[in-house]
Amino acid sequence: MRRENEFRYSKLANILREQILSGYIKPGQYLLSENELCKHYGVSRTSVRKSLDELLKEGLIVKKMGQGTIVSPDVVVPDNPRRTLRIVGTAPSYFADHCMQMMIDAFHRENPQVEVKYLSLPAYDFWDSVQASIELGLQPDLIFLADRQCLEIHHPESFVDLREPLASSFAKQYPRIMSAFRREESVLAAPVTFSPVYLAYNPGLFEKCGIALPKPGWTKEDFIRTAQRLTVDTDGDGITDQYGLSMSSAFSRWTVFALQNGVRFDGPTDRQAILSTLNFLHDLLYRYRIAKLSPMHRHSSEAFVHGKAGMVLTTSIELAGWRNEGLGFEPQVAALPFGDHQSTLLIANAFMLPAACSDRELALQFLEFTLGDSIQAAISRDRYFLSVQQSVNESLWDKPALDSLNIVNDRIENSHFLSEVFAAPSLMDDMHAEMGLFWLGLESAEATTDRILGLLHDQDPSSA
C-alpha cells in the first residue's frame, strides 16, 4: 500500500512538473486547487499535498496563504533549438505511465537530433485542457488518448486522415480495433495498444481455499459456486474480508454482463435480457453477497490488487499497470461465464495527429516507429500490454490465454467498444443517474429495467 501511494503522489508531481517546465502553466499562474487536483487526476488529498510539497522544495511553486498555489515567478522555461516533437496525453493513463518514456527514449536513440516532449493533461475535460494549451501557444504535434476521447471530438476535419500515411502499419493490426477510429472513410487515430475486458483471477487465493482453477467452458453456476467458496471471514471477527469478485459500477465493466446476455443499448432491446443481467448483479452483490462493489471512478477497487478478492473484471492495460507498480502475485485469465454470448467490451489507446501540427513528417515518423515490430514486441514482452499486432500477441502470449481473451480467429468480432454499444454518450450519463439506488440494493432489478427501457425509448427517434 505504501509503495502504491508513493507512486501516485510521485506521478502527480511529475505531471505538474511537466506542465510548469513546458510553459503550460506559466510563472505567476495559479495551479488547480487541491480539490480540483484530486478530482481531475483521481488521487487522494494526501497524495496531492505530498506532490505539492515536492514541487515546493524544488522551487517550482509558491503557496500563497488563503489564495492557492502559483508557479514561482523565478521559473524560467528554456528555449530548445533542437527539432522538437510535442505530445499531449491524457492522465491518468497506465500505458503512458509505463510505456511512453520507453518509446520516447527508443525513438531518441535512433533520432538523437530530436527531442520529444510529453505533457500530461487531466482526462476530466480533456479536450478543454487541450484547447487551453493551444490558446497558451502550445500546439501539440500528437495527441495521446483513449478510444472514448477520440469519439468526443466535434471537428474531425481538424485531424489528419492516417489511412494512407500509415497504411503499411495498419495492415498488421486487428481490423476490428481499427474500426473504432474510423469516421466514414477516414482513420482519425492510430491505436498503439488495446484490450478486451476479461476475467482475471488470483491463483494463490484459489489454492489457499482449495478451489480448482477455472477451466474453459465453465458455467455461470460454476462461477457462483467458486465465488461463494472464495468469500470468507479470514480472521474470524464476524466480518467478511475476502470476496469472490471485486466489481465496479463503471460502464466499462458491468456492461460486459449485459453483452454476455445479448443486451445492446443502441437498438431494440429485449426486456428480459436486461432484467436477467440486473438480477444477476443483485445476486452477486446482495443475495449471495459474493461480490464487493467499488466506486464507479475506480474500476477494480483495491480488493483484488491487495488479495482481498479472488476475481475481477479488468483489462491488460489496467493489469499491466498493476504489475509494473509491483503486484504481489501473477494473475491468470479465465473465460467469461456470464451468459450465452461470447462477447465483451474493448478499449484502446491511440495517437491522433492534429492538422495544425508544426512538423507532420516528424509526427508520422514517430507513429510508424511506435507501431513497428520492435516497439510493439517491447510493450508486450517487457511491459505486459497487448500489442495491436496479432502476430506479436500470438508469439508472446500462450494460446489458452488468447482464447480466454476472445481475440483469436474471428472471435474478436463479437466484442464492442462502448461507443458502439451506446447510441449516444449522454445515454450513459442518464443511465448512471437512474441506477444509483439499484447499485445500493435499494431498488429492484424490475424497477431499474423499466427506467432503463424508458431512457432507451426516449433516445430512439423511431419511437416518437
Side-chain angles (χ1 to χ4, degrees):
M1 177 73 75
R2 182 178 177 184
R3 184 181 185 278
E4 184 178 338
N5 290 336
E6 288 175 351
F7 179 83
R8 285 176 181 168
Y9 85 74
S10 177
K11 181 168 64 174
L12 178 58
N14 289 337
I15 289 173
L16 296 176
R17 188 182 296 109
E18 291 167 1
Q19 294 179 350
I20 292 169
L21 295 179
S22 69
Y24 177 72
I25 312 175
K26 299 184 181 299
Q29 287 187 334
Y30 281 92
L31 273 64
L32 294 174
S33 69
E34 290 186 2
N35 284 338
E36 289 171 323
L37 288 171
C38 292
K39 178 180 180 181
H40 282 60
Y41 292 101
V43 296
S44 68
R45 184 176 291 274
T46 299
S47 294
V48 167
R49 289 177 175 171
K50 286 184 176 181
S51 301
L52 296 178
D53 287 344
E54 192 171 315
L55 299 180
L56 186 64
K57 292 175 184 177
E58 296 172 12
L60 294 176
I61 62 173
V62 175
K63 291 188 176 181
K64 299 178 74 71
M65 189 65 67
Q67 299 181 51
T69 303
I70 66 169
V71 176
S72 171
D74 298 328
V75 170
V76 176
V77 179
D79 292 329
N80 188 352
R82 292 196 294 175
R83 197 177 180 191
T84 302
L85 183 71
R86 294 177 176 83
I87 305 175
V88 164
T90 184
S93 165
Y94 281 120
F95 186 84
D97 290 342
H98 301 292
C99 290
M100 189 64 69
Q101 193 59 50
M102 177 269 286
M103 295 191 300
I104 290 173
D105 290 344
F107 185 75
H108 181 69
R109 286 194 293 271
E110 292 195 10
N111 303 273
Q113 77 287 0
V114 175
E115 180 173 5
V116 180
K117 291 186 175 182
Y118 183 76
L119 175 65
S120 298
L121 297 178
Y124 186 86
D125 291 336
F126 176 70
W127 286 112
D128 289 341
S129 298
V130 172
Q131 184 58 40
S133 73
I134 294 172
E135 292 171 358
L136 288 168
L138 301 172
Q139 171 63 53
D141 298 306
L142 288 170
I143 297 176
F144 172 79
L145 72 180
D147 56 274
R148 282 189 63 191
Q149 292 167 323
C150 175
L151 295 171
E152 290 171 356
I153 62 170
H154 299 297
H155 301 287
E157 68 279 2
S158 300
F159 296 89
V160 175
D161 178 3
L162 299 173
R163 179 182 40 174
E164 292 186 10
L166 297 178
S168 59
S169 296
F170 289 161
K172 300 178 181 180
Q173 297 193 10
Y174 295 88
R176 181 71 189 90
I177 307 305
M178 293 299 307
S179 64
F181 302 98
R182 291 185 179 277
R183 287 285 184 90
E184 297 179 351
E185 296 300 318
S186 299
V187 176
L188 295 184
V192 67
T193 189
F194 85 103
S195 178
V197 177
Y198 57 84
L199 187 67
Y201 66 92
N202 181 340
L205 285 187
F206 276 67
E207 181 180 0
K208 180 181 176 182
C209 296
I211 303 171
L213 300 180
K215 295 181 179 180
W218 71 325
T219 65
K220 182 190 295 187
E221 290 70 27
D222 295 330
F223 170 84
I224 291 173
R225 285 192 292 270
T226 298
Q228 287 173 326
R229 293 183 62 187
L230 285 164
T231 302
V232 293
D233 169 13
T234 63
D235 56 11
D237 65 354
I239 300 174
T240 301
D241 54 10
Q242 178 181 297
Y243 284 83
L245 178 70
S246 176
M247 63 176 292
S248 170
S249 59
F251 280 94
S252 59
R253 294 296 182 268
W254 79 261
T255 306
V256 171
F257 294 95
L259 290 174
Q260 291 259 302
N261 283 280
V263 177
R264 291 289 295 271
F265 299 101
D266 59 348
T269 301
D270 178 19
R271 182 183 189 277
Q272 186 57 44
I274 297 178
L275 180 59
S276 295
T277 299
L278 298 186
N279 264 322
F280 182 60
L281 294 176
H282 265 185
D283 285 345
L284 299 178
L285 289 166
Y286 300 112
R287 294 190 181 93
Y288 302 138
R289 299 182 184 274
I290 53 179
K292 191 68 174 175
L293 187 66
S294 62
M296 181 175 179
H297 69 282
R298 294 188 64 95
H299 291 165
S300 66
S301 81
E302 296 180 344
F304 183 76
V305 173
H306 295 288
K308 293 296 184 179
M311 296 176 283
V312 68
L313 280 174
T314 187
T315 68
S316 65
I317 295 173
E318 185 175 51
L319 195 54
W322 296 341
R323 282 167 168 155
N324 286 309
E325 292 169 20
L327 189 62
F329 59 93
E330 182 57 34
Q332 301 296 316
V333 182
L336 292 167
F338 305 124
D340 297 329
H341 297 260
Q342 286 191 336
S343 183
T344 187
L345 287 171
L346 295 169
I347 64 169
N349 289 141
F351 287 99
M352 299 184 73
L353 175 53
C357 168
S358 61
D359 196 333
R360 186 176 299 188
E361 178 186 0
L362 182 60
L364 287 170
Q365 183 182 347
F366 182 82
L367 291 182
E368 289 177 340
F369 180 80
T370 61
L371 298 177
D373 296 351
S374 62
I375 290 296
Q376 285 294 305
I379 67 174
S380 185
R381 180 188 60 246
D382 302 332
R383 297 292 194 273
Y384 311 111
F385 292 87
L386 279 172
S387 168
V388 289
Q389 291 189 23
Q390 183 171 348
S391 60
V392 169
N393 292 331
E394 290 177 350
S395 68
L396 296 174
W397 292 62
D398 62 61
K399 189 176 185 303
L402 295 176
D403 283 338
S404 295
L405 294 175
N406 281 319
I407 61 173
V408 295
N409 302 323
D410 295 331
R411 285 165 59 186
I412 192 173
E413 300 298 326
N414 297 326
S415 299
H416 311 278
F417 289 90
L418 270 178
S419 58
E420 298 167 334
V421 177
F422 293 90
S426 60
L427 179 58
M428 285 187 284
D429 293 333
D430 293 340
M431 283 179 59
H432 175 63
E434 294 288 349
M435 293 180 70
L437 292 177
F438 167 82
W439 288 116
L440 292 172
L442 302 177
E443 182 176 73
S444 69
E446 289 82 358
T448 306
T449 296
D450 290 337
R451 289 150 73 91
I452 289 175
L453 288 171
L455 289 174
L456 295 176
H457 181 273
D458 292 342
Q459 287 278 340
D460 184 3
S462 65
S463 65

